[in-house]
Amino acid sequence: MLDVKSGFFKMNKKAIELLGETSIYIIFTLAFLAILILFITLQSSPKMLLQQKTAKQVALLIDASRAGTEIKIDIEEFLDNVEKGFNKKPIRVDNDLNIVTAQLSDNDFYKYSYFNDLNIDLEISGDYLYLKINE
Amino acid sequence: MNKKAGQRVLVFYWILIMVIIAVGIVSAVWNVFGANMDIREAEAGLLKERLVDCLVKEGKLLDSYEKLDSGSLDSLNQICKIDLKDNTGKYKETIQYGIIIGLRDINDNYYSDKSFGDWTLGVTFQEKGKHFPSWHRRSVFVLDNDKKAFLEIATFVDKNEKNT
């Protein structure tokens, strides 16, 4: 009776040890995968890339333009990614500092400068961005 | 005892493999999505074209070349409407462009040159150091008061951190 009891306890102790090790292994693996997936999701978010692409594209268009040029650009993809509740103009031009800003949310934005020191009128209507380059 | 030691070694290898996989995935994702788009070459090309527009008309060198005061960003801004400062905050309003303009006769003798902004970027470019700006060069045949000449323009764009 005593032998059986001690054997039973011995077996349980081993099982508990095994269970503990396995649980730690599973928890560690899940945590590792979760961190990795979170990192990939955050990094591969198209928003940062989209802001940079749009700001640089607009800056290059301004640099390439002469006074009197009018440009219409399809920015549907960019506008689709603007965060809900974000009220500012998502693409802006600062004529004093010669900077284009592309912004999809309150926290994220991208700025790029251009050298063509002309006055730029920028308007967004529908899915399009309208640029008018003035003297 | 031996079995436990073996298990510990296995755990160590398991962690090592996980770390290697993580480093691989992180660096791949970082390279693909974290890299900047490099548009400096396009910028350097456009800057060069803007200068040609400002200085040459119908093959003739304009007065604007003479009016340009070498080294003066104000004269470049007033005459050619070009601002070489970067005000994005990243570079604390420092100049991120360099321009060298020269005139040479048909016997390859330079008789005039002007530079604007950080023209030393041209030297940095040749040294191919860590700092590696993009550049463009163009030679335009012009008539300088009926004298045949070549207008040489070299433009440099740094903006390293925003493009690499």
Side-chain angles (χ1 to χ4, degrees):
Chain A
M1 192 74 172
L2 200 71
D3 282 348
V4 172
K5 208 177 178 183
S6 67
F8 173 76
F9 273 116
K10 217 176 175 181
M11 238 174 73
N12 259 1
K13 206 180 164 190
K14 266 194 175 178
I16 287 164
E17 258 179 34
L18 192 69
L19 190 68
E21 278 171 16
T22 314
S23 306
I24 290 168
Y25 175 82
I26 291 169
I27 290 166
F28 192 73
T29 311
L30 286 177
F32 173 81
L33 286 174
I35 291 168
L36 214 58
I37 289 166
L38 189 73
F39 171 79
I40 293 168
T41 315
L42 286 175
Q43 272 299 311
S44 60
S45 148
K47 290 194 173 183
M48 290 301 287
L49 214 58
L50 201 58
Q51 285 175 159
Q52 186 188 152
K53 189 185 108 182
T54 309
K56 285 183 173 177
Q57 211 171 27
V58 174
L60 280 180
L61 281 168
I62 293 170
D63 281 339
S65 304
R66 291 175 185 154
T69 310
E70 287 182 27
I71 303 165
K72 180 184 175 186
I73 317 160
D74 187 346
I75 52 162
E76 189 184 357
E77 190 195 354
F78 184 83
L79 294 175
D80 286 345
N81 282 282
V82 175
E83 201 175 72
K84 277 178 190 168
F86 178 64
N87 297 320
K88 283 184 194 168
K89 217 177 191 178
I91 302 171
R92 302 183 293 278
V93 165
D94 187 326
N95 279 310
D96 296 326
L97 298 175
N98 295 350
I99 289 172
V100 179
T101 306
Q103 189 167 12
L104 289 168
S105 65
D106 284 316
N107 305 319
D108 293 328
F109 63 87
Y110 190 88
K111 286 181 176 186
Y112 203 78
S113 66
Y114 54 89
F115 57 78
N116 210 0
D117 199 15
L118 297 169
N119 278 314
I120 320 294
D121 285 337
L122 186 148
E123 217 175 283
I124 295 170
S125 177
D127 290 335
Y128 294 94
L129 172 76
Y130 295 87
L131 287 172
K132 195 174 175 189
I133 320 291
N134 304 305
E135 191 71 54
Chain B
M1 185 73 176
N2 271 347
K3 202 179 166 190
K4 272 201 169 179
Q7 272 177 343
R8 273 179 200 155
V9 171
L10 272 181
V11 167
F12 170 74
Y13 276 114
W14 180 78
I15 291 172
L16 190 72
I17 288 166
M18 289 292 238
V19 168
I20 291 169
I21 292 170
V23 168
I25 292 174
V26 166
S27 55
V29 170
W30 197 269
N31 271 331
V32 173
F33 295 102
N36 282 317
M37 278 173 272
D38 194 351
I39 60 161
R40 292 176 302 167
E41 205 181 327
E43 266 187 282
L46 291 172
L47 180 58
K48 177 198 70 188
E49 295 305 323
R50 286 275 72 78
L51 285 163
V52 173
D53 279 354
C54 173
L55 302 174
V56 183
K57 194 175 182 185
E58 292 165 0
K60 286 180 184 169
L61 191 68
L62 298 171
D63 286 347
S64 45
Y65 180 80
E66 278 307 313
K67 285 179 192 164
L68 277 177
D69 184 10
S70 183
S72 165
L73 295 181
D74 287 339
S75 83
L76 185 69
N77 190 250
Q78 278 165 15
I79 296 163
C80 293
K81 296 278 179 196
I82 290 172
D83 181 8
L84 297 187
K85 270 184 274 164
D86 186 296
N87 299 310
T88 50
K90 184 87 181 173
Y91 304 105
K92 293 171 185 163
E93 295 185 21
T94 54
I95 295 154
Q96 293 297 310
Y97 301 91
I99 297 169
I100 301 172
I101 309 169
L103 277 171
R104 69 176 162 90
D105 60 25
I106 48 170
N107 297 316
D108 275 352
N109 298 315
Y110 280 88
Y111 61 93
S112 170
D113 65 84
K114 291 175 184 191
S115 57
F116 302 90
D118 189 1
W119 57 270
T120 58
L121 286 170
V123 181
T124 327
F125 177 80
Q126 283 168 351
E127 285 172 357
K128 293 189 176 181
K130 197 178 171 187
H131 222 50
F132 191 52
S134 284
W135 78 303
H136 253 265
R137 187 181 174 174
R138 187 175 168 189
S139 182
V140 185
F141 180 76
V142 290
L143 285 175
D144 179 13
N145 293 323
D146 296 331
K147 181 177 147 191
K148 289 173 185 172
F150 288 97
L151 176 73
E152 300 279 356
I153 300 175
T155 52
F156 308 92
V157 181
D158 197 354
K159 294 188 179 181
N160 223 26
E161 292 79 3
K162 286 236 169 198
N163 287 280
T164 54

